[in-house]
């Protein structure tokens, strides 16, 4: 989906996906010591801002200027700081072995570039660093609770294991849960929670 699509979605005053963090992500971050974390395709900033309130040093990027504005406004309202760049997966860059954690929350990419885009990010993760992926599974197709309408952009456990081959302590779980994250994530959804260590 294009920069124009996301700018239009995020242009409304209300938050498209709410202001509270994703519940699965919150549960993980609440158990992990804070460090430097990157949120890719972070949109309106709800997850990044939550991490900042928990003491994380937060970095984020997205292609949407409207999303960035709302994220920075939300951070200001919560009295936290986030380092948010306007950037894309293919162009984002950071120091190698820099982040303690990278979070991909509903970061659904085109199948042609997904693996290479995801793998690039792992270069920026420290050895021993944690990768978190939360997104819609292929079983989500046809459900009205959100997510891409293209089966190839939805996740499977096997696909994610292949995308992040070589990582350790991999855990992947398919979860059916009720989403209540703003107007675009609402209702019973089929999700995958995937974590791994570099």
């Amino acid at each position: 989906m294009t920069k124009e699509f996301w700018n239009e979605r995020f242009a409304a005053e209300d938050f498209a996906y709410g202001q509270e963090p994703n519940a699965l992500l919150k549960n993980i971050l609440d158990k992990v010591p804070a460090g430097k974390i990157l949120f890719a395709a972070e949109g309106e900033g709800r997850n990044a801002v939550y991490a900042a309130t928990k003491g994380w040093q937060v970095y984020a990027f997205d292609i949407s200027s409207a999303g960035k504005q709302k994220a920075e406004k939300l951070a200001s309202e919560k009295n936290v700081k986030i380092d948010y760049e306007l950037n894309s997966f293919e162009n984002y860059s950071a120091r190698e072995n820099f982040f303690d954690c990278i979070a991909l929350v509903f970061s659904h990419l085109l199948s042609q570039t997904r693996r290479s885009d995801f793998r690039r990010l792992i270069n920026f993760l420290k050895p021993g660093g944690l990768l978190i992926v939360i997104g819609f599974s292929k079983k989500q197709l046809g459900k009205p609770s959100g997510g891409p309408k293209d089966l190839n952009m939805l996740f499977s456990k096997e696909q994610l294991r292949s995308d992040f081959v070589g990582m350790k302590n991999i855990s992947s779980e398919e979860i059916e849960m009720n989403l209540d994250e703003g107007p675009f994530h609402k209702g019973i959804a089929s999700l995958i929670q995937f974590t791994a260590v570099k």
Side-chain angles (χ1 to χ4, degrees):
M1 286 173 273
T2 65
K3 176 169 57 178
E4 290 74 24
F5 172 91
W6 289 114
N7 278 332
E8 183 176 344
R9 174 155 293 188
F10 296 148
E13 185 174 345
D14 290 340
F15 279 64
Y17 303 104
Q19 297 185 31
E20 297 302 315
N22 172 266
L24 298 176
L25 177 78
K26 179 180 183 297
N27 185 53
I28 295 171
L29 290 186
D30 286 352
K31 299 173 182 174
V32 178
K36 292 190 285 289
I37 187 169
L38 173 66
F39 288 90
E42 176 52 9
E44 297 166 305
R46 62 193 176 106
N47 297 308
V49 169
Y50 177 75
T53 69
K54 301 298 289 185
W56 288 83
Q57 185 177 342
V58 175
Y59 298 78
F61 71 85
D62 197 281
I63 58 173
S64 169
S65 56
K68 180 177 187 284
Q69 287 175 348
K70 288 170 88 170
E72 291 175 339
K73 181 174 183 287
L74 183 61
S76 177
E77 290 171 357
K78 299 285 187 181
N79 294 311
V80 295
K81 183 181 182 301
I82 59 174
D83 186 333
Y84 194 125
E85 289 186 25
L86 274 182
N87 220 323
S88 62
F89 272 89
E90 59 267 32
N91 291 321
Y92 180 80
S93 186
R95 294 206 309 272
E96 287 193 10
N97 306 324
F98 182 72
F99 296 109
D100 300 286
C101 183
I102 293 177
L104 301 163
V105 185
F106 300 112
S107 299
H108 292 276
L109 304 179
L110 294 172
S111 57
Q112 306 94 292
T113 59
R114 184 197 67 246
R115 180 175 296 185
S116 60
D117 286 343
F118 281 176
R119 291 297 302 177
R120 273 193 75 250
L121 292 186
I122 298 305
N123 293 325
F124 311 138
L125 188 64
K126 291 178 180 177
L130 176 66
L131 169 72
I132 303 168
V133 182
I134 295 166
F136 291 105
S137 81
K138 293 188 183 296
K139 295 177 183 176
Q140 178 67 11
L141 195 67
K143 290 186 171 74
S145 49
K149 309 309 177 195
D150 179 351
L151 184 67
N152 292 321
M153 294 179 71
L154 299 170
F155 296 143
S156 70
K157 293 193 291 186
E158 296 75 19
Q159 168 211 299
L160 287 171
R161 286 176 178 271
S162 176
D163 287 348
F164 296 107
V165 66
M167 297 192 74
K168 302 176 291 187
N169 300 331
I170 288 174
S171 170
S172 56
E173 184 179 0
E174 292 194 31
I175 299 166
E176 292 278 319
M177 66 181 292
N178 186 53
L179 288 181
D180 187 12
E181 302 180 325
F184 291 99
H185 279 180
K186 194 170 290 290
I188 299 298
S190 298
L191 305 179
I192 287 183
Q193 175 181 292
F194 177 94
T195 59
V197 173
K198 183 174 177 181

